[in-house]
């Protein structure tokens, strides 16, 4: 079973738990995974729920969404890798699909993101420029 952090304004835990059970029961069959996601529906945001970026990143991996993120350099002081990967997974999943709600949520995640800086992390300039391009594409409705 997937393990997600609990945060303020996260996804409803009961809905995500049901989604995780259904997706894991589907194995690697993408058609069954998509059917489970449609049947359960998108999780609602509640006051205390599972971290939205973690859930979105997990679901994108299970759906086989291939991240098209640039090769990011790891530098001495850069954005923390874990949080950046979760944000990029959310953004890339939205760019890959045509769901306007997922695209809007990814655009909002970009604007609300406060990526922490750590001793070894992704080059901040590279991440910032990628996110600016992604935000433009998400806002204009383009893909890629």
């Amino acid at each position: 079973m997937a393990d997600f952090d609990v945060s303020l304004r996260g996804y409803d835990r009961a809905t995500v738990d049901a989604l995780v059970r259904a997706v894991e029961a589907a194995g690697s069959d993408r058609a069954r995974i998509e059917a489970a996601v449609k049947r359960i529906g998108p999780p609602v945001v509640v006051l205390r729920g599972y971290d939205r970026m973690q859930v979105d990143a997990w679901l994108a991996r299970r759906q086989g969404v291939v991240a098209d993120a640039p090769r990011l350099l790891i530098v001495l002081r850069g954005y923390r890798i874990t949080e950046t990967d979760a944000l990029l997974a959310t953004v890339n999943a939205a760019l890959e699909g045509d769901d306007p709600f997922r695209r809007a949520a990814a655009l909002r995640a970009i604007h609300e993101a406060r990526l922490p800086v750590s001793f070894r992390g992704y080059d901040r300039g590279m991440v910032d420029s990628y996110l600016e391009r992604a935000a433009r594409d998400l806002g204009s409705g383009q893909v890629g």
Side-chain angles (χ1 to χ4, degrees), residues 16-93:
V16 172
D17 288 341
L19 180 64
V20 167
R21 282 192 299 277
V23 168
E24 287 183 348
S28 60
D29 184 359
R30 288 189 186 175
R32 288 181 56 204
I33 291 173
E34 289 299 321
V37 170
K38 285 182 182 175
R39 184 179 73 249
I40 294 172
V44 296
V45 176
V46 296
L47 184 61
R48 288 188 45 81
Y50 288 136
D51 184 274
R52 292 181 288 173
M53 286 195 294
Q54 289 178 353
V55 172
D56 290 341
W58 177 84
L59 188 57
R61 283 192 306 273
R62 291 306 301 242
Q63 290 175 320
V65 174
V66 178
D68 247 357
R71 287 201 173 290
L72 298 172
L73 296 176
I74 296 178
V75 296
L76 188 59
R77 297 223 9 105
Y79 289 134
R80 195 174 318 155
I81 292 171
T82 305
E83 287 86 348
T84 306
D85 283 345
L87 177 61
L88 293 178
T90 299
V91 169
N92 290 328

Side-chain angles (χ1 to χ4, degrees), residues 82-131:
T82 305
E83 287 86 348
T84 306
D85 283 345
L87 177 61
L88 293 178
T90 299
V91 169
N92 290 328
L95 287 170
E96 291 286 321
D98 57 358
D99 180 3
F101 297 107
R102 180 175 272 185
R103 294 174 73 84
L107 186 58
R108 189 172 40 260
I110 290 171
H111 290 301
E112 293 175 355
R114 301 292 176 261
L115 295 170
V117 176
S118 66
F119 180 64
R120 284 180 38 88
Y122 288 133
D123 181 274
R124 290 181 280 180
M126 291 178 75
V127 172
D128 290 342
S129 65
Y130 177 76
L131 290 175

